[in-house]
Amino acid sequence: MQGLVYILLFLFVMPLVADSRCKNYVHEIRKSHYQVFGVDFPYWYAVAQNQQESNCRDIISRDGVGSRGLPQITYRIWQKYLSKQGIYDIDTISNQLLAQAYIMQNAKQQAYSSHLWVAYQIYNGGGAVNKEITQAREELGIREVPHCIAKNYCKRKTITFNNGQKINACDINYEYSQKIYEYAQHYKLFSDGSYIFW
């Protein structure tokens, strides 16, 4: 029983700690995303993204590919692209956040939908979501494919972790955008303006 109490306490307290830590970076996240997207960008999703990626901690991930920083950027993959934007390292928080904004801009340009959930899923899992949207459009004859319908077209591998736990890559990627939206509500001050998340 005591173990259950500790688990419940942990699950309740950890989001509050992350939320508090992330609030320390709101100004800098807003500034970097305004620089890349303009002042109408709903930056609260970018804050939420950092919460989802690292709980707003400047860490090196144990993902095996070297993701690092608040937004968990794999610099070796993005180095050429980011250097064209004038970002030559991600050693500082300000460079990490500016890199995050440019990578999100790239994801938004790749997205087959103007809805932000698609761009966030591209940031997290690459362009597979575009294939799922295309399949749904072709089969159903609709222009804007909702999140729940696109997920029905998702067929990706199942990942097995060292501890034996298995999770499907579709679940990881489609839950990512849901978590971004959920966490963003803690930081949201205005309407999303011309941007549409769902």
Side-chain angles (χ1 to χ4, degrees):
M1 180 66 175
Q2 188 177 13
L4 180 61
V5 170
Y6 285 130
I7 291 171
L8 291 174
L9 186 61
F10 176 80
L11 292 174
F12 177 74
V13 171
M14 279 311 293
L16 296 177
V17 171
D19 183 53
S20 173
R21 193 180 307 119
C22 293
K23 284 182 179 175
N24 293 328
Y25 296 107
V26 168
H27 173 72
E28 204 160 356
I29 292 168
R30 179 176 54 229
K31 179 181 163 189
S32 63
H33 282 72
Y34 280 4
Q35 180 177 334
V36 173
F37 285 98
V39 296
D40 61 337
F41 185 78
Y43 65 86
W44 37 90
Y45 295 116
V47 178
Q49 185 177 32
N50 283 289
Q51 181 175 340
Q52 174 61 23
E53 289 288 345
S54 68
N55 279 328
C56 295
R57 290 177 292 153
D58 187 10
I59 59 171
I60 297 175
S61 176
R62 290 178 288 193
D63 62 5
V65 294
S67 301
R68 61 184 284 213
L70 272 64
Q72 289 295 284
I73 294 167
T74 309
Y75 186 69
R76 65 182 171 79
I77 292 173
W78 288 100
Q79 183 175 6
K80 186 175 179 182
Y81 174 77
L82 292 173
S83 65
K84 290 178 183 176
Q85 314 304 328
I87 302 169
Y88 302 104
D89 63 63
I90 54 170
D91 297 335
T92 64
I93 299 291
S94 58
N95 276 6
Q96 292 169 17
L97 298 177
L98 192 55
Q100 174 196 13
Y102 277 115
I103 293 168
M104 277 304 302
Q105 182 185 53
N106 179 274
K108 186 140 177 34
Q109 290 167 348
Q110 289 181 51
Y112 286 6
S113 169
S114 61
H115 293 203
L116 287 174
W117 71 267
V118 179
Y120 280 103
Q121 285 188 210
I122 290 172
Y123 183 101
N124 174 254
V129 67
N130 283 333
K131 293 176 186 173
E132 294 144 13
I133 289 170
T134 299
Q135 283 182 297
R137 282 180 179 165
E138 290 172 358
E139 190 171 310
L140 302 174
I142 56 176
R143 171 91 182 108
E144 280 301 334
V145 178
H147 180 271
C148 59
I149 291 177
K151 186 176 181 184
N152 291 336
Y153 287 84
C154 187
K155 292 175 181 63
R156 303 186 202 176
K157 66 181 178 180
T158 297
I159 300 164
T160 304
F161 295 97
N162 291 339
N163 65 3
Q165 178 188 4
K166 295 182 179 191
I167 189 165
N168 187 279
C170 292
D171 294 334
I172 293 170
N173 194 229
Y174 279 83
E175 287 172 8
Y176 184 82
S177 57
Q178 291 174 316
K179 289 177 181 176
I180 299 292
Y181 184 81
E182 176 189 333
Y183 295 155
Q185 305 316 303
H186 298 278
Y187 311 106
K188 186 173 182 174
L189 297 176
F190 314 105
S191 77
D192 290 353
S194 61
Y195 288 88
I196 301 168
F197 194 90
W198 296 117

